[in-house]
Amino acid sequence: MSIKRYEDEIYGPSSYDFEESESGSWVKYEDHAAEVAKLNHQLISVVGERDSHIARLKEQVRAQAAESLQYKRFFESAWRVAMDGCDFDGAGIQGLAVNLGLAKAEVYDSEKHSDLVSDASDFEDGCEVFFPVKSLNADAILNEVRAQGCEMFIEFNRKLAKDYPHAMVAKALEVTELNGEQFAARIRAGEVQR
């Protein structure tokens, strides 16, 4: 809503008339109050979205900190064993990783696991096999950062297209932008690996 503005015309010591004018100094109270109410509503909506986004970011940071703490504990435990001159065999490493939630143990099934192990001939059905737990929080954060880098490149291309509006250059930049947008979406979805 655009507030109608008015300019006053003085026709004598106590006679005023108001004419609508884009650069006028006066507005009607009702129009002003309606515009302020609309802006307040928009502000409340934006603040709500911001607060929701901040809450999501805080949760991501909390989850990342918890995940990082587990990796730190794993490293510190392995380091202490090594510094004490002890032998830390595969079973010890796997057990520690499972206890910290960094790995999971499964019963080996050749149909399910043969493509997931380095040498399937080393395993028999029924044996315990260990796999790292996918680091969803760290992966999601890294994917978001990579996608934002893609979006920065897209924005750079948009600016170039404005500077060089020639048909061939603009079309090539447009295609690059579209490819970049699709690539950023694939990164966020975790479909693109380094």
Side-chain angles (χ1 to χ4, degrees):
M1 171 182 178
S2 176
I3 299 178
K4 287 185 182 177
R5 301 176 73 85
Y6 300 90
E7 196 58 65
D8 59 335
E9 298 288 332
I10 302 175
Y11 295 108
S14 62
S15 177
Y16 292 93
D17 190 17
F18 291 91
E19 300 276 329
E20 195 172 322
S21 168
E22 285 186 26
S23 61
S25 303
W26 298 88
V27 296
K28 289 184 180 177
Y29 174 81
E30 298 82 20
D31 292 346
H32 183 263
E35 184 69 13
V36 168
K38 182 182 102 177
L39 292 173
N40 280 338
H41 180 72
Q42 289 174 345
L43 180 62
I44 289 168
S45 175
V46 167
V47 168
E49 288 174 18
R50 181 211 59 197
D51 290 348
S52 176
H53 186 66
I54 288 172
R56 282 192 308 275
L57 290 174
K58 284 181 178 179
E59 178 55 29
Q60 281 183 339
V61 168
R62 188 209 58 75
Q64 184 62 41
E67 192 174 281
S68 294
L69 179 62
Q70 297 304 75
Y71 282 108
K72 181 179 179 190
R73 287 179 178 160
F74 179 81
F75 176 77
E76 287 174 347
S77 296
W79 185 259
R80 274 194 308 273
V81 168
M83 295 313 293
D84 288 344
C86 298
D87 187 15
F88 202 37
D89 65 1
I93 292 170
Q94 292 165 339
L96 178 61
V98 168
N99 288 339
L100 293 174
L102 302 175
K104 62 182 178 182
E106 293 183 15
V107 176
Y108 184 77
D109 176 355
S110 57
E111 290 181 24
K112 180 180 176 184
H113 297 111
S114 62
D115 292 340
L116 302 175
V117 295
S118 56
D119 186 357
S121 66
D122 290 342
F123 297 92
E124 295 177 8
D125 284 349
C127 292
E128 198 170 36
V129 64
F130 297 86
F131 297 101
V133 172
K134 186 147 177 67
S135 176
L136 296 177
N137 194 54
D139 291 346
I141 290 171
L142 289 173
N143 288 344
E144 180 60 28
V145 169
R146 290 177 185 130
Q148 287 177 11
C150 241
E151 288 168 345
M152 289 170 65
F153 181 68
I154 292 165
E155 189 56 35
F156 171 76
N157 280 320
R158 284 190 182 122
K159 289 177 183 173
L160 277 179
K162 287 178 185 174
D163 292 343
Y164 300 97
H166 310 298
M168 283 184 65
V169 173
K171 190 64 178 172
L173 291 170
E174 181 183 326
V175 169
T176 303
E177 287 172 30
L178 292 173
N179 287 333
E181 289 167 357
Q182 291 171 359
F183 190 67
R186 288 183 55 218
I187 289 172
R188 278 196 178 90
E191 296 173 8
V192 177
Q193 302 299 322
R194 290 181 68 187

